[in-house]
Amino acid sequence: MTTISQQAGTSSAYPNLLRPLDLGFTTLSNRVLMGSMHTGLEEERHGFAKLAAFYEERAKGGVGLIVTGGISPNFRGRVAPFGGELSRWWQVKKHRQVTQAVHKYPTKICLQLLHTGRYAYHPFNVSASAIKAPINPFKPKAMSERQILHTIKDFAHSARLAQKAGYDGVEVMGSEGYLLNQFSCARTNYRTDMWGGGIENRMRLAIEVVKAIRAKVGEKFIIIFRLSMLDLVEGGNTWEEVLIMAKAIEQAGATIINTGIGWHEARVPTISTSVPRAAFTWITERMMGEVNVPLVATNRINMPAVAEQVLASGQADMVSMARPFLADAEFVNKAAENRADEINTCIGCNQACLDHVFKQQRATCLVNPRACYETELNFDKAQDSKHIAVVGAGMAGLAFSVYAAQRGHKISLFEAGDDIGGQFNMAKKIPGKEEFYETIRYFHKQLELLDIKLHLQSPQTAQTLTQQGFDEIVVATGIKPRTPPIDGIDRDIVLSYIDVLKNGAKVGRKVAIIGAGGIGFDVAEFLAEQQSLTTQPEQWLAEWGIDKQYQQGGALVPNHRHNKTPREIYLMQRKTSKVGAGLGKTTGWIHRSTLKNHGVHMLPGVEYHSITDTGMNFSVNGKQRFEQFDNIIICAGQEPQRDLYQQLLDLQLQPHLIGGADVAAELDAKRAIRQGAELAAKI
């Protein structure tokens, strides 16, 4: 079966993106690689049937080449004790479900071979040397010569099994600080034998793995090597060493070289929403012309115009996008049909993908709750079309409205404010969260396409709703800020986060923020950052100490100093735990580092006694103090806004309650969108 994008050739607005790539023995239908993502389905009971449905939708959506989540070639390389492994003949059958589903379309699929080395979360992990990773409690054992040779054979054997399972190739994971990267880098390789020392010895394991795979699978099989071009850690490889390794990888038999950026332990963000789009394509461009195999640029490429520019400017031969295919399976087809404004854009939040995976939960997507639930969450045509009122056009109300309209229901969407988006309209103003504009743009387009009647500046009461004769009423009225009982809370120096983020209230030089949850951090970043660097990649790289000149290993600027904020900001919380401990598992450290770099004071264990006209009396861990402040900003949580819901109940009606109006904790957009979708699927 041929997809629209694969028919389109170069007729679209994105000719380079949709141009086929001839690999000699096979041709890719376009220049889009769906990057590797571990979903958690690999380990679930009957998970491969769900995984097949997940990949099939992306193949149907037009992607040229898919790389699966990482599968280990042996037991010690598994991500976790029950992690995915392909080392036995009987394991081939379940993988065939995936390849057969994908091959209904002209899409190629490669299995990623991933040996985690010292990142393996179990006590059987191994590495080049016995050096514990800072992000793992398990210290690895240094591999013996015999183990190294067996591991090379295991990679080749696993690749052969992948070939038997119907995969078009494999990707060998040689970056992000995993085993092959641990060998190739002096940071983690202290060996004095033939597998350590100079780069020729340190890269030997990676080279021998590629050679062994090529010998096992023959010439007509794709071998992608994920090469760490920027380690972004102290003791990382130099550019000269990266170049030597790239050329050796090509000679060993690789078909494609994919760009790897940063180790997992690096203290530089590489894929979060605050990273500028295409921030690292310059390193792939630097490699262009040094090798003769196609090169793939990666990281924070999330819209077709960005991908097209990367290819058109000669920075790479292909582009890798991973999470954008969680957000929208039809990404490529929409680009081919010049419908980019209909793409549900990845906002780089990590909340439902990486955060889930690192907590051993199934990955999905905040903006697309169907991702990895393709067999469980569907929106079939409703048997009886209903006229449904939805009150509140925040994330929950929007998600419900769109999915319910897709099922054939007639939707009237009422919003008291002057725009859709709810709390996203404040979040999008935070430096580093500009991608949130894309979600609002997506929903605006969906309302138009689905003919959803939007009524802005239209607050509703139980009476106005009942007079219109709706079949169902969905209440998504959101939240209201919680006001803590502090003496003097009504003084003029006190502002709410809504005053600051939505209403543009003027804020003084010395500020206290009461509440250090997600909103407190957002307000602190809003006040600390003088300008957003998300659209200024050069300044962003400089701020995070990344040296584009690559003057030393790891490409980090030595003794780098961050810019401090001219404001004096105190971020306070009652809890005695580390400030920001409850933030996202994979992004919390970025927010904490950002505030620390700007010189923000983060105080746990605070008791608030009273607010005066000039400051606040409080105590920290029992020690009382008074501090003068120009403003005190309240970010002390939220409460559900349920007045309308209660009015409807009082009239003996049965409204549905979703989003923050149901549960207000931390303005959870992920929960709100999923809850709206699940209600829409069954109403």
Side-chain angles (χ1 to χ4, degrees):
M1 187 181 296
T2 303
T3 66
I4 292 167
S5 73
Q6 290 151 342
Q7 292 173 333
T10 57
S11 62
S12 148
Y14 312 104
N16 292 283
L17 190 68
L18 299 172
R19 187 156 46 94
L21 179 62
D22 186 358
L23 300 178
F25 59 89
T26 191
T27 299
L28 305 180
S29 58
N30 54 55
R31 303 301 178 104
V32 181
L33 183 153
M34 176 178 162
S36 174
M37 293 176 287
H38 196 82
T39 66
L41 291 170
E42 296 87 349
E43 290 82 36
E44 276 192 22
R45 182 176 173 83
H46 305 305
F48 269 78
K50 299 174 183 178
L51 196 64
F54 168 72
Y55 285 125
E56 181 178 347
E57 283 207 6
R58 277 75 196 164
K60 183 179 180 182
V63 65
L65 176 62
I66 292 172
V67 178
T68 71
I71 300 293
S72 179
N74 59 29
F75 173 78
R76 289 184 181 273
R78 290 181 174 191
V79 173
F82 299 101
E85 178 183 346
L86 181 56
S87 59
R88 301 285 188 270
W89 287 103
W90 57 264
Q91 295 168 329
V92 167
K93 184 178 179 181
K94 60 184 180 181
H95 284 271
R96 281 206 182 107
Q97 296 177 70
V98 171
T99 60
Q100 289 172 355
V102 168
H103 287 151
K104 294 176 185 176
Y105 304 91
T107 296
K108 310 294 184 186
I109 182 166
C110 293
L111 178 81
Q112 187 186 77
L113 295 178
L114 168 67
H115 191 303
T116 50
R118 72 176 191 160
Y119 282 167
Y121 205 79
H122 55 70
F124 307 106
N125 63 349
V126 292
S127 186
S129 302
I131 306 168
K132 190 176 82 67
I135 59 174
N136 193 348
F138 298 104
K139 183 178 180 179
K141 292 181 180 178
M143 294 176 73
S144 67
E145 173 92 8
R146 183 180 178 185
Q147 285 179 319
I148 292 172
L149 295 176
H150 272 293
T151 298
I152 294 169
K153 291 181 180 178
D154 289 342
F155 268 98
H157 178 60
S158 192
R160 177 61 177 145
L161 294 178
Q163 190 176 42
K164 288 286 188 184
Y167 288 102
D168 301 287
V170 293
E171 178 176 78
V172 179
M173 182 48 142
S175 67
E176 267 80 355
Y178 290 113
L179 180 72
L180 300 186
N181 206 179
Q182 292 160 26
F183 266 84
S184 67
C185 192
R187 174 184 177 86
T188 43
N189 188 337
Y190 290 6
R191 303 178 75 96
T192 57
D193 59 7
M194 64 183 290
W195 306 97
I199 185 60
E200 289 79 6
N201 281 355
R202 298 199 311 270
M203 71 181 185
R204 189 187 303 274
L205 176 57
I207 305 306
E208 293 302 320
V209 164
V210 175
K211 285 181 178 179
I213 291 173
R214 179 56 74 202
K216 198 79 169 180
V217 299
E219 294 300 316
K220 296 182 179 181
F221 192 70
I222 299 170
I223 300 177
I224 308 168
F225 189 87
R226 182 87 164 265
L227 174 67
S228 185
M229 295 193 197
L230 283 173
D231 289 322
L232 299 181
V233 289
E234 293 181 2
N237 283 340
T238 64
W239 173 248
E240 290 71 23
E241 290 172 325
V242 171
L243 199 56
I244 289 169
M245 188 169 174
K247 292 180 177 180
I249 288 293
E250 178 185 13
Q251 289 299 312
T255 317
I256 295 170
I257 293 178
N258 197 356
T259 302
I261 304 293
W263 289 34
H264 285 312
E265 63 204 66
R267 305 313 286 173
V268 176
T270 56
I271 59 173
S272 69
T273 188
S274 60
V275 178
R277 292 179 176 183
F280 296 103
T281 54
W282 56 272
I283 193 63
T284 314
E285 182 180 21
R286 186 167 179 168
M287 183 66 73
M288 291 286 283
E290 299 287 357
V291 292
N292 296 312
V293 295
L295 297 178
V296 185
T298 188
N299 286 48
R300 289 288 288 126
I301 300 169
N302 67 343
M303 285 297 279
V306 179
E308 177 68 17
Q309 177 59 32
V310 170
L311 296 171
S313 62
Q315 291 186 296
D317 299 295
M318 294 186 71
V319 291
S320 173
M321 293 178 275
R323 294 171 303 160
F325 287 101
L326 284 176
D328 198 326
E330 295 185 83
F331 184 104
V332 179
N333 281 349
K334 288 179 179 179
E337 296 176 301
N338 295 324
R339 295 189 294 127
D341 59 345
E342 296 179 34
I343 291 175
N344 196 2
T345 305
C346 168
I347 62 175
C349 68
N350 291 6
Q351 292 179 34
C353 50
L354 288 175
D355 283 0
H356 277 210
V357 169
F358 279 93
K359 291 186 287 187
Q360 285 78 54
Q361 298 173 357
R362 189 194 306 189
T364 183
C365 179
L366 181 146
V367 299
N368 175 23
R370 277 199 75 242
C372 298
Y373 287 83
E374 287 77 12
T375 63
E376 298 155 80
L377 181 59
N378 287 291
F379 305 102
D380 301 325
K381 287 296 180 183
Q383 291 183 348
D384 298 312
S385 178
K386 296 181 177 181
H387 189 188
I388 304 173
V390 182
V391 185
M395 289 299 113
L398 288 169
F400 173 83
S401 297
V402 167
Y403 290 124
Q406 288 176 3
R407 296 191 61 215
H409 294 303
K410 180 181 178 182
I411 306 297
S412 293
L413 176 59
F414 299 95
E415 166 57 42
D418 58 5
D419 197 6
I420 67 170
Q423 301 292 315
F424 260 44
N425 287 307
M426 286 182 279
K428 70 186 184 185
K429 297 181 180 180
I430 308 302
K433 289 190 174 181
E434 289 84 358
E435 293 288 10
F436 286 46
Y437 279 95
E438 296 287 5
T439 303
I440 297 172
R441 179 267 307 155
Y442 168 77
F443 276 119
H444 265 299
K445 187 64 178 180
Q446 293 303 309
L447 298 184
E448 173 192 327
L449 292 172
L450 294 165
D451 195 27
I452 293 170
K453 303 303 180 185
L454 174 62
H455 306 272
L456 295 174
Q457 296 180 319
S458 184
Q460 296 296 302
T461 65
Q463 286 71 30
T464 61
L465 290 171
T466 53
Q467 288 169 4
Q468 298 178 63
F470 294 107
D471 299 311
E472 302 273 1
I473 299 173
V474 176
V475 178
T477 44
I479 55 87
K480 53 188 175 183
R482 189 179 74 84
T483 302
I486 303 172
D487 184 30
I489 194 77
D490 56 350
R491 293 186 184 271
D492 289 342
I493 68 169
V494 178
L495 301 169
S496 75
Y497 68 87
I498 294 177
D499 294 328
V500 176
L501 297 179
K502 184 178 180 180
N503 301 328
K506 187 176 180 180
V507 179
R509 184 182 176 279
K510 188 173 180 181
V511 184
I513 299 172
I514 293 178
I519 295 175
F521 267 81
D522 276 355
V523 170
E525 290 184 42
F526 179 79
L527 296 175
E529 303 233 358
Q530 296 306 292
Q531 58 176 331
S532 175
L533 301 182
T534 311
T535 56
Q536 303 180 65
E538 296 297 325
Q539 292 91 327
W540 182 88
L541 292 166
E543 175 63 20
W544 283 96
I546 301 169
D547 177 20
K548 282 187 70 174
Q549 303 306 311
Y550 222 131
Q551 297 176 79
Q552 66 176 36
L556 294 177
V557 175
N559 304 314
H560 174 64
R561 293 180 181 274
H562 294 269
N563 294 319
K564 302 292 184 182
T565 176
R567 277 196 172 97
E568 189 174 356
I569 301 171
Y570 290 75
L571 180 59
M572 305 175 172
Q573 69 176 28
R574 289 184 182 274
K575 296 177 182 177
T576 56
S577 55
K578 180 171 68 173
V579 175
L583 298 178
K585 193 169 181 66
T586 61
T587 55
W589 71 270
I590 300 173
H591 299 296
R592 291 189 294 269
S593 295
T594 297
L595 296 190
K596 181 181 177 182
N597 294 340
H598 283 303
V600 173
H601 306 281
M602 291 181 270
L603 303 181
V606 177
E607 290 292 330
Y608 312 103
H609 302 310
S610 64
I611 296 172
T612 72
D613 287 332
T614 59
M616 182 165 59
N617 292 292
F618 60 98
S619 57
V620 180
N621 296 322
K623 186 176 181 180
Q624 291 197 8
R625 58 193 280 191
F626 172 80
E627 198 79 43
Q628 288 189 331
F629 292 111
D630 297 315
N631 288 110
I632 296 166
I633 302 172
I634 307 301
C635 305
Q638 306 80 36
E639 297 171 348
Q641 197 156 254
R642 294 179 181 165
D643 294 346
L644 175 61
Y645 180 70
Q646 188 58 52
Q647 292 172 18
L648 293 166
L649 291 178
D650 291 343
L651 293 176
Q652 306 301 309
L653 298 175
Q654 294 182 315
H656 304 274
L657 186 67
I658 60 174
D662 179 31
V663 177
E666 279 305 313
L667 299 181
D668 190 347
K670 178 183 70 175
R671 180 184 181 278
I673 292 175
R674 174 164 289 278
Q675 191 178 26
E678 289 176 344
L679 177 61
K682 65 185 180 183
I683 200 165

